[in-house]
Amino acid sequence: MSKEHGGRIIIFTSPSGAGKTTLVRHLLSKYKDRLGFSVSATTRKRRNGEEDGVHYYFLSEEAFLEHIRNHKFIESEEVYPGLYYGTLHSEVDRLSELGKNLVLDIDVKGAQNVKNLYGDRVLSVFVKPPSPEILIERLKQRGTESEEELNKRIERMQFELSHEDYFDAIIVNDALEDALKEAERLVEGFLGIRSERTTF
Ligand code: ADP
Ligand code: 5GP
């Protein structure tokens, strides 16, 4: 992404299973004219119901590493051992050309890197589960991972939870309705949208 790009960037980050996707989907549907989802590249396997180019660009490890060598990413991380994820320059440019503010769903390290690169143009939001036990329960209930993949996520959870202080805002995702409202409030404040919910 060129530094001249004038749009804003909203990042949702958290351990896997805390509720980023749920919050992001809601915001993209509510503010569809203003927000666009930055589709990341990944080497992980496609889940049932996921579409290439919609949820992720699914790449082989070889292709992903080639993209790193060719400086195609604004940031990339090996989020779990052997699994790579990254935000593509081309994706960010595509959304910028559409005049959209960007929504990123990325891990805590990627989130810090993007915040360091783009400073005040970024709102970084950490989504916090009510407790580690509830997080594990939600991940299991989601039922999208094999036992091995689930364990990789649980192993990384404490590392990710220890990063909550590095971000601009924290949403505790306990009662979903409250978390959705808080996400709306943060986005409206950051983008200067007058709330339709205000009553006098
Ligand atoms: P992430 O994108 O951070 O991995 P998801 O949005 O996929 O997390 O949420 C993980 C699971 O928890 C999903 O099955 C989702 O429907 C569920 N979930 C999300 N928020 C809540 C909530 N507040 N209460 C109960 N379940 C939730
Ligand atoms: P999942 O496999 O559950 O879709 O995502 C696993 C983790 O990778 C999540 O924490 C998600 O936010 C993160 N992630 C997804 N895309 C990117 C990306 O482009 N860059 C980084 N650094 N992390 C990402």
Side-chain angles (χ1 to χ4, degrees), residues 42-180:
T42 185
T43 62
R44 83 145 160 75
K45 282 202 229 77
R46 201 166 58 80
R47 293 176 190 149
N48 267 344
E50 284 183 333
E51 272 181 65
D52 190 38
V54 175
H55 298 90
Y56 280 105
Y57 298 107
F58 294 96
L59 301 182
S60 66
E61 183 172 322
E62 196 187 4
F64 196 103
L65 296 177
E66 181 72 16
H67 277 21
I68 293 181
R69 282 193 292 275
N70 292 331
H71 309 287
K72 301 274 188 194
F73 292 112
I74 66 167
E75 63 77 33
S76 66
E77 297 292 335
E78 187 178 355
V79 177
Y80 308 110
L83 292 182
Y84 296 86
Y85 296 78
T87 308
L88 291 157
H89 283 283
S90 57
E91 183 63 12
V92 177
D93 290 344
R94 178 181 74 77
L95 292 166
S96 304
E97 277 160 27
L98 292 172
K100 305 274 187 170
N101 299 290
L102 308 169
V103 178
L104 272 56
D105 168 344
I106 61 178
D107 89 305
V108 291
K109 282 167 84 183
Q112 284 166 254
N113 289 336
V114 174
K115 179 74 190 179
N116 289 339
L117 270 175
Y118 295 104
D120 288 348
R121 281 175 36 209
V122 175
L123 171 71
S124 58
V125 182
F126 185 82
V127 183
K128 186 176 173 172
S131 70
E133 292 74 25
I134 291 178
L135 176 69
I136 293 170
E137 196 46 43
R138 283 185 191 164
L139 257 183
K140 287 184 177 163
Q141 293 257 320
R142 191 173 69 186
T144 44
E145 275 77 32
S146 66
E147 188 78 16
E148 190 196 339
E149 288 164 339
L150 196 65
N151 287 336
K152 283 188 184 178
R153 279 153 207 270
I154 293 171
E155 273 163 30
R156 192 177 160 87
M157 177 181 75
Q158 286 304 345
F159 166 79
E160 289 166 320
L161 286 174
S162 72
H163 280 68
E164 69 171 71
D165 293 338
Y166 294 86
F167 303 105
D168 298 319
I170 297 177
I171 296 178
V172 179
N173 184 16
D174 190 352
L176 183 58
E177 274 310 304
D178 294 345
L180 294 174

